[in-house]
Amino acid sequence: MGDEQVPSAVPSSRTVARKHARLSPVWIIPLLAGVVGIWVGINHIRSEGPTITIVFRSADGLEAGKTRIQYKGVDVGTIKNIRLSDDHHSVIATAAMAPRTDEFLVTDTQFWVVRPRISGATVTGLGTLISGAYIGMEIGKSKENKYDFVALDTPPVVSGEQSGRFFVLKTTDLGSLDTGTPVFFRRLQVGEVVSYKLDATGQFFILRIFVQSPYDRYVTPLTRFWQASGIDVSLSASGLSVQTQSLLSILIGGIAFATPSEGAVIPASLTSPDTPYTLYANRSQAFEPPPRNPQTYQLIFKESVRGLLPGAPVEFRGIKIGQVTDVRAQIDARTLQFSAPVTIQLDPQRLGVKVLDLKSAADLASIRRRVIDNLVADGVRAQLQTGNLLTGATYVAFDFFPGAPPASVDWSQNPVQLPTTPGELQTLETSAENIVKKLDKMPLDQIGNELRADLATLNLTLGAARTTLTTANSTLLSARSTIDNANSFLEPNSMQSQELDAALIELTRAARSVRVLADYLERHPEALLRGKKGEPK
Amino acid sequence: MNAPALTAMQQGLQNCEACGLLSRPAPGEEEGECPRCGQSLDFRKPASLQRTWAFLMAAAICYIPANVLPVLTTTTATGTESDTILQGVILLWSPSGWPLSLIVLFASIMIPSAKIIALAYLLITVHRRSNSNSEQRVRLYRIVEFIGRWSMVDVFVDTFTAALIQLQPLMSVEPGPGLFFFAAVVVFTMLAAESFDPRLIWDADEFDGG
């Protein structure tokens, strides 16, 4: 390797004063890359929120990695994994939540699947038709964190931020009510049905409704709720009346409430949210005073109770005082007589019985006993009456029947039996029957025979009468001629009348003479004795 | 290995890479400027190993977020979806789309990692003054250098997609943070390959010989 191989003509390069750092500045680049990488990594880790599990009944519409969890339309998480639970009955979804969502994840936070829902009044979740289902979320108020949730089957109707109160209603018939059905107060929508469920006995529906503030303060313990579904048409003596709430409620039903005016003084704070209110079928039922102190009695009817149903009214002289609760049939084993015991419930307050200063219960009972004894003694009896000729529905009417056979009330029985009297129709039937029976007893044949004999006699009599009449006719003719004679005698120019005139003139003269004589004798009565004296001087 | 070859450095000569003039550095100096064109002259690329190491480490660091972070964020009416490179490969893997999936797998995952590993191997062998497989190592270096620019295709495809698919309400595609790191990996490996001086591979022979 000798230098001789290199041509000598090689120029030498210019020298440059160059500082050589021991460490090249290029190391800044990996340092920078490292810093950026670490920063991004930290960011990425920080952007990972908590992981939660939600148990769904079904994963229908949910997709791992795609389905979002939204709160007020903001994505707060994503479903990462969906698997079946160990017992295969439900679906467990694991969701990665957005960072800093820990404070949302509390014990009463709720999750539910948002799907398109079309209920009567509202259409919600239409967007999910395109985007697929997402999971809705409602943040709870609790402070306690929780990371395992069970999703709701249906979305909650009322979001936790609306102020207002929940009330519980009890009804036997759900009608057209559904979650989301509006609640009206004076035809203004003030709330919604939140949920409904059948109670444990299966006899009632327990409805939870939400009434927004400030309308919730109009709900007092005395408030009545009724179903405002559809149209309530009633025909009364005052004409036809149609009650509706709004067009919406006609279409989808609704609940209305109102408070009787006397109840307005009760402070709303007394209302307990868990006391169930009764949901009445209609407004008029809702405002019927509730039986405060219902008394159960029994009526035994011997007649047919066709058309008498539980719920039929019991009236006293046209005023409703109670209702029929039970109608059944029984046969007396000893007498083999059929009867229909009807159980009724009476509300003595409806009768206007003023409860005097609410004495002890026993006192009250004795007063009631005395009143009823008096009424029964006065002839008050229960009677079945036809309420509706078309349907044949009957009701129980109490009225005074002064002619009724005397009866008394046996207070030892339970329920106490009140005396009854056959119904109007029954009475009518009985009397008609009696008439027919009497008619049956009449000897119609004999009467007919006798009548015929009588008629023959009558015929004979009539023949005799005819001859009598002929004789009478001739008699009348002769009478007529006699009258004619008399007429001619009485004519003015007849001789007889002239003579009569003359005779009358004579008679007049004679009468005058007598008067003169009488006058003279009056003035001179002595003349009878002494005779007529000469003319006075 | 064959007999030690004659190199410019052994002769104390420097070749100008710009104008090809052969010159001799001033005595005691290793660097200078070309007397004809003024190009800076070195016996070997200055701090080649250090620079290569630095770029290689930067590339290696960036390689992690490039694969962990999403490269594309697709927003459609059904929701937003972010995919990393590997997720994209899995997504494309279907009976009909597997070749495409393989291409992505090669271009985006295997090639960058292979480049990093190859460069690291070259650097380590140079440090250890290994003089075996020199020819193959140089071939490897050429492949790395050649392939480097093509990795950028991936980045271009993604950026084109993002630029073209902007049907705002219906669908839009946006580059994710992973894409920037991926581009950085490509750039850093290219820089590393560029700063590596393949002559160093052969210098070991010379030192051994000399």
Side-chain angles (χ1 to χ4, degrees):
Chain A
M1 327 257 157
D3 278 3
E4 67 276 10
Q5 284 179 351
V6 179
S8 52
V10 170
S12 56
S13 63
R14 279 176 264 161
T15 51
V16 174
R18 217 184 291 178
K19 270 185 194 160
H20 252 296
R22 296 193 64 78
L23 209 62
S24 163
V26 84
W27 283 104
I28 291 173
I29 290 168
L31 208 68
L32 213 65
V35 169
V36 171
I38 288 165
W39 178 69
V40 168
I42 288 171
N43 241 10
H44 197 71
I45 288 163
R46 278 182 57 188
S47 74
E48 299 257 300
T51 303
I52 60 167
T53 61
I54 310 173
V55 177
F56 291 97
R57 187 168 286 184
S58 143
D60 184 25
L62 303 183
E63 243 181 294
K66 282 198 174 165
T67 305
R68 313 271 146 188
I69 298 174
Q70 294 194 337
Y71 174 65
K72 290 182 181 291
V74 177
D75 278 1
V76 292
T78 313
I79 296 289
K80 289 291 178 202
N81 179 28
I82 298 174
R83 63 183 168 90
L84 277 178
S85 68
D86 294 337
D87 58 358
H88 312 306
H89 287 323
S90 49
V91 174
I92 301 172
T94 312
M97 298 299 287
R100 294 182 295 284
T101 47
D102 286 86
E103 54 196 284
F104 303 162
L105 303 169
V106 290
T107 46
D108 52 347
T109 295
Q110 294 171 319
F111 293 91
W112 64 94
V113 180
V114 178
R115 296 190 176 99
R117 264 174 73 87
I118 302 174
S119 67
T122 48
V123 177
T124 55
L126 265 194
T128 60
L129 278 180
I130 303 163
S131 66
Y134 65 90
I135 293 169
M137 178 185 177
E138 183 68 50
I139 293 172
K141 292 190 174 73
S142 164
K143 295 281 172 217
E144 204 176 319
N145 272 33
K146 184 183 167 189
Y147 297 98
D148 299 299
F149 297 93
V150 175
L152 304 175
D153 288 337
T154 51
V157 172
V158 179
S159 97
E161 284 166 20
Q162 279 174 285
S163 61
R165 279 189 296 159
F166 291 93
F167 299 98
V168 180
L169 305 185
K170 202 172 74 171
T171 178
T172 51
D173 179 23
L174 196 58
S176 57
L177 301 178
D178 195 358
T179 54
T181 302
V183 175
F184 297 97
F185 177 64
R186 298 184 185 279
R187 290 190 175 77
L188 175 72
Q189 188 180 340
V190 297
E192 279 174 295
V193 175
V194 177
S195 67
Y196 59 86
K197 63 165 194 271
L198 210 56
D199 79 337
T201 64
Q203 293 201 314
F204 295 103
F205 282 100
I206 304 293
L207 286 157
R208 263 166 73 78
I209 64 162
F210 177 78
V211 179
Q212 295 158 21
S213 182
Y215 308 105
D216 60 333
R217 63 189 159 100
Y218 301 119
V219 180
T220 69
L222 288 179
T223 297
R224 309 285 162 74
F225 291 85
W226 69 93
Q227 288 210 22
S229 310
I231 309 172
D232 185 6
V233 181
S234 59
L235 187 64
S236 65
S238 56
L240 183 76
S241 76
V242 180
Q243 294 268 333
T244 64
Q245 284 298 319
S246 70
L247 198 62
L248 190 67
S249 72
I250 293 174
L251 292 173
I252 67 159
I255 290 175
F257 70 87
T259 306
S261 51
E262 76 255 30
V265 290
I266 293 186
S269 58
L270 286 182
T271 335
S272 153
D274 293 325
T275 328
Y277 289 86
T278 306
L279 181 64
Y280 295 94
N282 54 48
R283 188 190 164 92
S284 54
Q285 227 181 64
F287 279 92
E288 249 175 29
R292 296 261 170 82
N293 208 347
Q295 304 291 316
T296 305
Y297 296 97
Q298 203 173 45
L299 307 171
I300 307 255
F301 287 103
K302 298 266 193 276
E303 63 208 273
S304 158
V305 289
R306 187 171 190 278
L308 190 69
L309 299 170
V314 175
E315 294 184 354
F316 179 69
R317 311 207 89 177
I319 298 158
K320 192 177 170 189
I321 55 165
Q323 60 175 5
V324 174
T325 55
D326 189 34
V327 180
R328 60 182 66 208
Q330 82 178 15
I331 290 177
D332 193 321
R334 273 177 297 144
T335 61
L336 291 178
Q337 265 203 327
F338 168 82
S339 62
V342 173
T343 314
I344 58 168
Q345 236 179 23
L346 295 188
D347 182 7
Q349 270 172 329
R350 297 250 188 104
L351 210 53
V353 179
K354 292 265 182 204
V355 181
L356 316 150
D357 296 337
L358 272 175
K359 290 170 189 167
S360 69
D363 234 9
L364 211 65
S366 75
I367 290 171
R368 187 182 306 128
R369 193 175 286 200
R370 214 168 59 227
V371 168
I372 290 177
D373 276 340
N374 275 341
L375 285 172
V376 169
D378 286 349
V380 168
R381 298 285 183 275
Q383 192 185 42
L384 283 182
Q385 287 193 350
T386 306
N388 190 323
L389 283 175
L390 287 178
T391 61
T394 51
Y395 65 98
V396 176
F398 281 92
D399 209 336
F400 288 97
F401 294 95
S408 61
V409 180
D410 183 1
W411 289 99
S412 60
Q413 277 174 314
N414 189 24
V416 175
Q417 278 184 14
L418 296 181
T420 62
T421 189
E424 277 169 350
L425 218 59
Q426 182 76 13
T427 330
L428 211 65
E429 263 173 33
T430 320
S431 31
E433 211 171 287
N434 285 344
I435 291 167
V436 170
K437 268 184 200 156
K438 277 176 189 159
L439 280 176
D440 267 354
K441 280 180 193 159
M442 282 173 124
L444 281 177
D445 283 358
Q446 197 185 340
I447 290 169
N449 284 340
E450 279 175 8
L451 201 62
R452 196 184 297 153
D454 284 352
L455 284 172
T457 321
L458 194 63
N459 211 11
L460 287 178
T461 315
L462 284 174
R466 191 184 293 154
T467 48
T468 314
L469 281 173
T470 323
T471 322
N473 204 13
S474 58
T475 314
L476 282 171
L477 281 174
S478 39
R480 188 174 177 180
S481 65
T482 313
I483 288 165
D484 282 350
N485 286 347
N487 262 356
S488 65
F489 184 76
L490 289 171
E491 265 173 37
N493 293 326
S494 66
M495 207 167 45
Q496 285 85 348
S497 72
Q498 280 173 5
E499 280 172 4
L500 194 64
D501 281 349
L504 281 172
I505 291 164
E506 277 304 310
L507 199 59
T508 311
R509 281 179 192 149
R512 194 180 295 143
S513 307
V514 169
R515 196 191 299 147
V516 169
L517 177 64
D519 286 346
Y520 187 80
L521 277 177
E522 204 173 18
R523 270 173 292 169
H524 305 285
E526 71 277 359
L528 276 175
L529 296 171
R530 289 173 191 171
K532 194 173 173 182
K533 286 180 183 172
E535 287 294 306
K537 298 159 190 171
Chain B
M1 204 64 209
N2 49 356
L6 189 66
T7 65
M9 191 167 77
Q10 277 175 326
Q11 297 299 319
L13 295 178
Q14 289 173 334
N15 187 23
C16 174
E17 283 172 359
C19 68
L21 185 76
L22 205 60
S23 59
R24 191 187 299 276
E29 290 283 341
E30 290 198 343
E31 296 165 347
E33 275 179 359
C34 175
R36 188 162 63 171
C37 67
Q39 168 85 13
S40 66
L41 298 173
D42 296 298
F43 286 112
R44 296 288 178 261
K45 287 182 185 169
S48 169
L49 289 179
Q50 251 190 61
R51 284 166 57 92
T52 312
W53 270 121
F55 284 124
L56 196 62
M57 282 174 76
I61 288 167
C62 290
Y63 186 72
I64 299 164
N67 280 287
V68 170
L69 296 180
V71 283
L72 273 189
T73 302
T74 315
T75 309
T76 60
T78 62
T80 311
E81 211 172 311
S82 301
D83 289 314
T84 63
I85 295 171
L86 206 60
Q87 278 172 338
V89 171
I90 295 164
L91 204 71
L92 285 169
W93 187 266
S94 64
S96 59
W98 62 268
L100 197 63
S101 173
L102 278 185
I103 289 174
V104 176
L105 184 70
F106 272 104
S108 303
I109 294 174
M110 290 172 76
I111 289 178
S113 53
K115 277 196 319 193
I116 290 169
I117 291 164
L119 282 171
Y121 168 70
L122 291 177
L123 284 170
I124 288 164
T125 51
V126 166
H127 272 290
R128 294 177 61 191
R129 303 187 187 286
S130 162
N131 56 5
S132 56
N133 303 330
S134 296
E135 279 176 59
Q136 280 162 42
R137 279 189 278 147
V138 168
R139 199 173 297 141
L140 184 69
Y141 172 72
R142 279 194 211 110
I143 293 170
V144 166
E145 207 181 18
F146 167 78
I147 239 168
R149 69 205 76 165
W150 293 103
S151 288
M152 220 44 188
V153 166
D154 228 45
V155 179
F156 288 143
V157 167
D158 280 359
T159 44
F160 276 133
T161 316
L164 290 175
I165 303 179
Q166 291 291 343
L167 311 168
Q168 256 318 319
L170 287 177
M171 189 179 183
S172 68
V173 175
E174 274 162 34
L179 190 64
F180 300 108
F181 284 99
F182 185 78
V185 170
V186 176
V187 169
F188 285 142
T189 50
M190 282 168 78
L191 284 173
E194 194 266 332
S195 52
F196 182 72
D197 197 334
R199 287 176 289 193
L200 292 168
I201 295 171
W202 301 102
D203 285 345
D205 280 353
E206 181 194 328
F207 286 122
D208 274 7

